Amino acid sequence: MPGEFELIDRYFARPRRGGAGGRGVVLGIGDDAALLELPPACDLVAAVDTIVAGRHFPPGTSPHAIGHRALAVNLSDLAAMGATPAWATLALTLPAAEDAWLSGFAAGLLDLADAHGVTLVGGDTTGGPLTISVQLLGHVPHGTALRRSGGRPGDLLAVTGTLGDSGAGLALATGRLQAPAGEHTTELLHRFEYPAARVAFGRGARGIASAAMDLSDGLTGDLPKLAAASGAAAHVEVARLPLSAALRDVASAQQARDWALAAGDDYELLLAVAPARWDELAALAAASALRLTAIGELRAGSGVAWTLHGAPYAAPAEGFDHFRGPSTQITV
Amino acid sequence: MPGEFELIDRYFARPRRGGAGGRGVVLGIGDDAALLELPPACDLVAAVDTIVAGRHFPPGTSPHAIGHRALAVNLSDLAAMGATPAWATLALTLPAAEDAWLSGFAAGLLDLADAHGVTLVGGDTTGGPLTISVQLLGHVPHGTALRRSGGRPGDLLAVTGTLGDSGAGLALATGRLQAPAGEHTTELLHRFEYPAARVAFGRGARGIASAAMDLSDGLTGDLPKLAAASGAAAHVEVARLPLSAALRDVASAQQARDWALAAGDDYELLLAVAPARWDELAALAAASALRLTAIGELRAGSGVAWTLHGAPYAAPAEGFDHFRGPSTQITV
């Protein structure tokens, strides 16, 4: 029933949303392709991430939270490059066009797009199993993007915010973790359902941090990539991992550490920074009321070593939380 | 089994493919996002299209043809803008990582990418039902892109190539059309399985044609959009539709016309051109050995009128071929 699917159009083409008058939008939704104008002396930055029902969010997740997540995971990639997000396209495959679902999903996606000045400039909708791909485009002044490869031995390793909250939130959402409902459980569920991308901080960290990447797969999955790209070894003191009061309240110390290390979905930034530049990075974080924690350092060599109060620590394997399922970025 | 999925990486990161050394690629596959450099004085052009198993290709389609199609449908969108394609990202959701499928799919996509100078600069792979989204990025000199909205009453309407072959090819592939196997059935199957995007012709038509779009949903689905965007009525003489010898051989005259009008998936270009510029457009087509056929004209008013030898003709509805299923571009 194509007619049913044509209804979808209206959810993504609201006044002052969906391509009308966005910055740099020469031609938005409604032709064969969008026409966009990059600011002068900038590189184009492009990221794409897919989220699939049952893999990246459990059944029963609100459509508003799904819409938020579909864009947030891409915003986080651009934050890690120090880029300014500008335009998004949406590839939405869904089994049926239900009004309540679509209006919630569109609101979740467009609310976050508005908050970051992002214009939805195109996309398509197709009948099929629920799969959502967002491609996000943005820009960064030539030669200034943060990369994974810029770290050097001697750099401090730092993370924004707190880690493990999203893992606990997912465990609460799926019933694997039982805790009395209250302020802390609400906060953890929110951290899972509404990840915040550190876009402003990433932009500010250009020229200060030597390397950055976003934490989508957990430190145990992501830090080895940054270390390898930078041609360095990494050492992390697990006791320094920033844990929220909410996480410490609902989980054992061991469980909290393991979620912080390996549950993923935190969408905080992992950065390398020369010790001489630490104060600048800390001031940037303070200015945006964002916690910044030094958790270790890069050293000569290769591989990642974890210690807990100085003693070797066996970090849980990436993806130990089986809900996440197989998912990987294409890497060289 | 994440390990299984990490195998996928190698299919898309071959030497001289997958981001290494492509034109304008500052940073390709392997970081949080790609960094790309647009040629000077150009607009960025962005398109995204999803193909889903059972919707856009029947079960049993070769993975090489699926990989080709995933990129071709996007190349066709850029062709319709007169743009030069440059970079692609891939969001691939698939149920299992099978070597034969993945190597065939990657070869189909990358063979076509190479033929058009397109570099794969990023993407992600996720476990789930087979869904393939390609986003294609390209460029066009400021202010020169072809649009759907540029047509004017009095313009001729023209199409490239022949129409309906893909509809016949799909009918052959799915057993709805029976015909003795031979050169013609092979040709029609190939037209369905390996659509050719008219990229060079679209680029050449900039400054000559007044409007363009690609024919993915058939004339009955697409022409009303061009006419409406141009603020004009359209008239098409169905007897003028370009039909291949292969199509006329395997189908009745009525069936051939209806496939040409409404089966879709032809990925030819529909253009509006002022009569005074016709010779230039025809010369461009001749130079690339591409058939170009005037099929009607734009007139003052609105709506689309079809005639057959001058008498009103009831064109079949868009999507009369039920295999295609619900699918729509997001339009304003």
Side-chain angles (χ1 to χ4, degrees):
Chain A
M1 292 190 293
E4 182 184 28
F5 273 76
E6 276 153 23
L7 294 175
I8 295 169
D9 297 358
R10 67 179 148 109
Y11 296 102
F12 298 100
R14 299 183 192 173
R16 298 197 304 148
R17 288 179 158 182
R23 196 175 310 165
V25 179
V26 180
L27 183 66
I29 290 173
D31 211 300
D32 289 89
L35 293 173
L36 308 166
E37 190 171 2
L38 219 60
C42 279
D43 286 330
L44 172 66
V45 186
V48 63
D49 256 322
T50 302
I51 62 174
V52 178
R55 296 271 178 201
H56 300 93
F57 52 88
T61 301
S62 86
H64 193 276
I66 296 170
H68 176 100
R69 173 173 297 269
L71 182 58
V73 298
N74 286 285
L75 285 168
S76 184
D77 282 325
L78 261 65
M81 308 298 289
T84 302
W87 313 294
T89 61
L90 167 67
L92 177 61
T93 304
L94 77 176
E98 290 168 15
D99 181 76
W101 194 93
L102 276 162
S103 54
F105 173 83
L109 193 152
L110 295 176
D111 285 351
L112 186 61
D114 286 353
H116 286 275
V118 169
T119 308
L120 186 68
V121 295
D124 71 340
T125 53
T126 310
L130 185 57
T131 309
I132 305 147
S133 287
V134 169
Q135 163 130 4
L136 186 60
L137 302 171
H139 43 81
V140 64
H142 281 318
T144 69
L146 291 167
R147 303 183 181 202
R148 297 179 180 179
S149 57
R152 294 291 169 262
D155 282 355
L156 297 172
L157 289 170
V159 294
T160 59
T162 55
L163 303 183
D165 297 334
S166 185
L170 173 59
L172 287 166
T174 55
R176 285 183 292 114
L177 173 65
Q178 305 286 338
E183 198 179 317
H184 283 165
T185 56
T186 301
E187 179 185 331
L188 295 169
L189 281 165
H190 189 80
R191 283 294 310 263
F192 172 69
E193 290 185 336
Y194 287 90
R198 305 305 185 188
V199 175
F201 182 82
R203 207 156 48 210
R206 286 197 323 251
I208 304 175
S210 52
M213 73 182 294
D214 85 318
L215 288 169
S216 53
D217 292 336
L219 268 179
T220 52
D222 291 326
L223 177 55
K225 295 173 191 163
L226 185 141
S230 293
H235 166 249
V236 169
E237 171 49 56
V238 173
R240 290 196 200 145
L241 298 183
L243 307 178
S244 69
L247 178 60
R248 284 181 280 117
D249 181 28
V250 303
S252 70
Q254 167 83 35
Q255 176 69 84
R257 275 195 302 267
D258 285 355
W259 273 328
L261 283 167
D265 279 336
D266 286 313
Y267 300 104
E268 298 292 350
L269 293 182
L270 167 67
L271 305 110
V273 56
R277 313 296 302 272
W278 172 263
D279 288 351
E280 288 166 81
L281 200 64
L284 176 71
S288 44
L290 187 62
R291 192 162 163 179
L292 183 74
T293 307
I295 60 169
E297 62 189 17
L298 292 179
R299 295 175 176 176
S302 64
V304 179
W306 313 92
T307 59
L308 181 63
H309 304 300
Y313 185 76
E318 177 191 5
F320 85 105
D321 184 332
H322 294 294
F323 169 79
R324 291 182 49 79
S327 175
T328 181
Q329 292 285 121
I330 298 172
T331 49
V332 214
Chain B
M1 293 190 291
E4 183 185 27
F5 273 76
E6 278 154 22
L7 294 176
I8 295 170
D9 297 358
R10 69 181 146 108
Y11 296 102
F12 299 101
R14 300 182 192 175
R16 299 196 304 149
R17 288 179 158 181
R23 198 175 308 166
V25 179
V26 180
L27 183 65
I29 290 172
D31 211 301
D32 289 89
L35 294 173
L36 308 165
E37 190 171 2
L38 219 60
C42 279
D43 287 331
L44 172 66
V45 186
V48 63
D49 257 321
T50 302
I51 63 174
V52 178
R55 295 271 177 201
H56 300 93
F57 52 88
T61 301
S62 86
H64 192 278
I66 297 170
H68 176 100
R69 172 173 298 270
L71 182 58
V73 297
N74 286 286
L75 285 169
S76 184
D77 282 326
L78 260 66
M81 308 298 288
T84 302
W87 312 294
T89 61
L90 167 68
L92 176 61
T93 303
L94 76 175
E98 289 167 15
D99 180 76
W101 194 92
L102 276 162
S103 54
F105 174 82
L109 193 152
L110 295 175
D111 285 350
L112 186 60
D114 287 352
H116 287 275
V118 169
T119 308
L120 185 69
V121 295
D124 72 340
T125 53
T126 310
L130 185 57
T131 309
I132 304 147
S133 287
V134 168
Q135 164 130 5
L136 185 60
L137 303 171
H139 44 81
V140 64
H142 281 318
T144 68
L146 291 168
R147 303 182 181 202
R148 296 178 181 180
S149 57
R152 295 292 169 260
D155 282 355
L156 297 172
L157 290 169
V159 294
T160 59
T162 55
L163 303 182
D165 297 334
S166 184
L170 173 58
L172 286 167
T174 56
R176 285 184 291 113
L177 174 65
Q178 306 287 340
E183 197 180 319
H184 284 164
T185 57
T186 300
E187 179 186 331
L188 295 169
L189 281 165
H190 189 80
R191 283 293 311 262
F192 172 69
E193 291 187 336
Y194 287 90
R198 304 306 185 188
V199 175
F201 183 81
R203 208 156 48 209
R206 286 197 324 250
I208 303 174
S210 52
M213 73 182 294
D214 84 316
L215 288 170
S216 53
D217 293 335
L219 267 179
T220 52
D222 291 326
L223 177 55
K225 295 173 191 162
L226 185 142
S230 293
H235 166 248
V236 169
E237 170 50 55
V238 173
R240 290 196 202 147
L241 298 183
L243 308 179
S244 69
L247 179 60
R248 284 180 278 117
D249 180 29
V250 303
S252 70
Q254 168 82 33
Q255 177 68 86
R257 275 194 303 265
D258 286 356
W259 273 328
L261 282 166
D265 279 335
D266 285 314
Y267 300 104
E268 297 293 349
L269 294 182
L270 168 66
L271 305 111
V273 56
R277 312 298 301 273
W278 173 262
D279 289 350
E280 287 167 83
L281 201 64
L284 176 71
S288 43
L290 187 62
R291 192 162 162 178
L292 183 75
T293 308
I295 60 169
E297 61 188 18
L298 292 179
R299 296 175 176 175
S302 65
V304 178
W306 312 92
T307 59
L308 181 63
H309 303 300
Y313 185 76
E318 177 190 6
F320 84 105
D321 184 334
H322 293 294
F323 170 80
R324 289 182 50 79
S327 174
T328 180
Q329 291 285 121
I330 297 172
T331 49
V332 213

